[in-house]
Each structure stands twice: as C-alpha cells, then as structure tokens.
Amino acid sequence: MILTVTLNLALDVTYQVPDVDWDGVNRVSAVHRRAGGKGVNVARVLAALGQDVLVTGLAGGPTGQAVEEDLRSAGLPSALTGIAGDSRTTLAVSEHQGASGRTALFNEPGPEVTPAELASFLRRYESLLDGAGAVVISGSLPRGVPLDTYATLAAIAAEANVPAIVDADGEPLRHAPKGRPSVVKPNAEELARAVPGGTPAESAHELRSQGAGAVVVSMGSDGLLAVTGEGTFRARMPYTVRGNPTGAGDSLVAGLALGLVESAPWPERLRRAAALGAAAVAAPVAGDFDPDVYADIHPQITIT
C-alpha cells in the first residue's frame, strides 16, 4: 500500500473555456469537480496503475464533506482527520482552443488548523504507516501548521522504515531534508527558491547534503534531473505535450513512488515518471493521465 498525505485537501473545480476573455463574460463549456490536493492526485494515478493506496490528511466543513464523498465515489480509500475549519476550494480555468492553451490556477489558502487537530493527525499518521510500502507527502500547508511539519512526517516514516517522497515549496521544502526523506521532488523554480544562487545540479546536491536521499527536479519540457546516491541522471523528452499542466507533477511523483516500492533502477524510475508527467498534461483534469500518450512517449525518453 502507498500512503499519500495531503494536509491541505481541496475540492478542485476545473472550468474548460474555448478562449478566456479576461475583460468580458466567458461561457464555460465543461465543469469538473472532484477531490483534490497533490496527494489525492498522486493517489488517483497510482490507483489507475493498479496500486493499493490510502489517502490521509485533514478535512473539515461542507467542502471537506464533499471531498470525502468524492473519494468514496472514486473508490479511493481514505483515513482523514476531521478539523473544525472548512477545507478549501481551488479553481483552474483552462483554455482548450486557440493557440495558447493556457491554464490559470486560483488556490485558496486553506483552513486554520489548531495544535490539537495537528496532534490528532500525527497520531493517526504514525499508525497508518504500518503496512505502507512508501508514503508521499505533498502540497501546501494550511494555516496554523508549522513549516517544518513535512520534515517531521518524513522523520516519523524513516523511523518506521517507510521510504518517503516530499513534494513541497518554500519553507516546507527547505526544512524537508532534515527528516531524511528518500526523495525530495521540487520543480526548477521551487528548487531555485529553496537553494538560490546555484545551478539545478548544485542546488540538488545541497539538498542531498542536508539529508535527502535523492533529489528529482522536474524541468518541464526539459525533462528531469535526478541527483541520487547512485549518480546524477537526466531524462530528456522527445517532444513537448500541449494541454493542461495542472497535476503533471503529481503524476510524475506517482511514478517515483511506484519506483520506490518496486526498488526499480533509477533510469527505469525516471523514464516512467517523466512519461506519466507528460501524459497528465494531455488529460483535462488533474489526477488523470492519457494512456495513449504515455504508451507513445515512454520508450522515446532518453536517460543519460
């Protein structure tokens, strides 16, 4: 079983619009509403790949209830800790015609979490690690949660001999290596904010020196950079997939998590992860991926 942690769960709303007029009225051609947050998206991809998953995190209020109902309807097992505050909604406005194919994201900050609520979650999290093959800790932190919480969660997993992947930004990313996660997965911009002034490879080496087992940097159409204990690898894409990039990083993380539980060689992990990320761009909603794009691009990715 792969456990995914989403402390800032959300109800993701996606508007598909032919061409966005930012100064006028827009007619929405399709609306998608589903449980979201980065860990939920990871779980959806893993479930589609036939893996047993368990979603955990914090949920509260009417929005939290809607999230739980959608997880049940999607057949995604969950063990959520209730909070008093209302969970957040996110909005993606995605153009599906025209030359740009742009997507704009609007992310609410999330509820205020009390120390008692967080302590309750931590107790449950520790018990859920029993039987987990890996844990994915990802996304933003809701208000009231300490910035080093992902380091704490990774350290608890390490004590339980469960490999952890952390996908975060800002201060949570800077603190994460202290928890000795197996993999830290920033994108290029997140890495530059966390460790400014160096090349991506230099910054990734710095995070490894602080405790991360490996650092995998997603670089969009430039593929992946992985700095690991076995060496440095690059995954290069044969072509650029156009579409909605929301959730592409989560699909990529799902591939890395699968590689962890299978103990796959790094080239194989990176090829699958990069292919899943690209295939997610071709899908209209975060948490999905296009299997035809995956099958086409996977054998064409080069690893050096």
Side-chain angles (χ1 to χ4, degrees):
M1 176 267 289
I2 298 177
L3 180 67
T4 71
V5 177
T6 312
L7 294 181
N8 213 2
L9 278 162
L11 182 65
D12 285 348
V13 179
T14 301
Y15 286 173
Q16 288 186 276
V17 183
D19 288 288
V20 175
D21 178 0
W22 292 103
D23 296 311
V25 176
N26 292 276
R27 303 298 178 185
V28 177
S29 57
V31 180
H32 304 275
R33 291 183 176 88
R34 67 194 314 191
K38 295 179 73 64
V40 174
N41 296 337
V42 172
R44 288 187 190 277
V45 174
L46 287 168
L49 294 170
Q51 297 298 304
D52 291 332
V53 297
L54 180 63
V55 175
T56 190
L58 304 171
T63 306
Q65 292 176 4
V67 166
E68 292 191 72
E69 290 170 4
D70 185 75
L71 290 173
R72 282 193 294 270
S73 66
L76 291 175
S78 65
L80 304 179
T81 297
I83 58 175
D86 191 28
S87 296
R88 65 189 178 124
T89 297
T90 72
L91 173 65
V93 180
S94 179
E95 291 180 329
H96 59 91
Q97 293 181 15
S100 67
R102 297 174 299 177
T103 299
L105 303 178
F106 301 86
N107 293 336
E108 296 179 2
E112 186 83 27
V113 177
T114 68
E117 290 168 339
L118 180 60
S120 177
F121 168 78
L122 290 174
R123 288 191 296 270
R124 192 168 198 184
Y125 168 75
E126 192 166 1
S127 69
L128 294 174
L129 288 170
D130 185 22
V135 57
V136 174
I137 305 163
S138 58
S140 62
L141 293 175
R143 291 170 292 175
V145 175
L147 296 176
D148 64 351
T149 296
Y150 286 168
T152 300
L153 296 180
I156 293 171
E159 288 295 323
N161 294 314
V162 178
I165 299 177
V166 175
D167 180 9
D169 191 8
E171 286 298 319
L173 172 59
R174 276 188 280 270
H175 286 288
K178 300 172 187 175
R180 296 176 291 127
S182 297
V183 180
V184 172
K185 203 295 296 173
N187 62 35
E189 292 78 16
E190 291 164 347
L191 180 63
R193 287 192 288 269
V195 188
T199 67
E202 290 169 343
S203 298
H205 276 289
E206 176 60 25
L207 290 183
R208 278 204 76 233
S209 74
Q210 297 172 15
V215 179
V216 178
V217 187
S218 54
M219 307 176 73
S221 60
D222 290 331
L224 301 179
L225 167 69
V227 177
T228 79
E230 300 173 23
T232 298
F233 302 88
R234 281 293 305 270
R236 290 180 168 84
M237 311 301 293
Y239 56 85
T240 299
V241 178
R242 302 293 181 185
N244 179 9
T246 309
D250 303 328
S251 293
L252 191 159
V253 168
L256 294 176
L258 189 53
L260 266 183
V261 297
E262 294 179 347
S263 299
W266 271 105
E268 182 181 326
R269 296 188 203 187
L270 295 176
R271 184 175 286 111
R272 177 163 52 193
L276 282 170
V281 175
V285 181
D288 291 343
F289 67 94
D290 188 315
D292 293 332
V293 172
Y294 175 80
D296 181 72
I297 205 168
H298 182 273
Q300 301 184 60
I301 294 169
T302 58
I303 309 292
T304 56

